[in-house]
């Protein structure tokens, strides 16, 4: 976890590429977010909402794939 938190602190861009399985994010991505993007590290909650701490990240790209068009 510390390794990935260090990489997040040093990065200015994040790219997530993953397939959509059963209309959801794969467990490995959910686990990464739950374990690495922790409260106190990535954010805090203030009186008016969420306060982000990773201000160095200027851009996030999310690319997903499906085996077929939705609804088929």
């Amino acid at each position: 976890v510390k390794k990935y938190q260090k990489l997040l602190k040093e990065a200015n861009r994040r790219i997530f590429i993953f397939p959509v399985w059963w209309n959801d994010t794969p467990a490995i991505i959910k686990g990464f977010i739950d374990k690495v993007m922790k409260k106190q590290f990535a954010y805090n909650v203030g009186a008016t909402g969420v306060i982000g701490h990773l201000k160095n990240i200027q851009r996030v790209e999310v690319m997903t794939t499906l085996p077929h068009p939705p609804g088929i």
Side-chain angles (χ1 to χ4, degrees), residues 4-21:
Y4 292 112
Q5 287 178 337
K6 181 179 184 290
L7 290 171
L8 283 169
K9 284 281 192 183
E10 296 171 352
N12 64 0
R13 184 172 158 187
R14 287 286 89 196
I15 301 173
F16 290 92
I17 304 172
F18 56 87
V20 174
W21 292 339

Side-chain angles (χ1 to χ4, degrees), residues 24-56:
D24 207 350
T25 305
I28 195 165
I29 301 294
K30 287 182 180 182
F32 175 84
I33 292 169
D34 288 347
K35 291 176 184 172
V36 177
M37 305 292 279
K38 293 182 173 192
K39 188 176 180 182
Q40 307 293 328
F41 168 73
Y43 69 95
N44 257 328
V45 180
T48 58
V50 176
I51 302 164
H53 295 309
L54 297 174
K55 300 192 186 299
N56 54 300

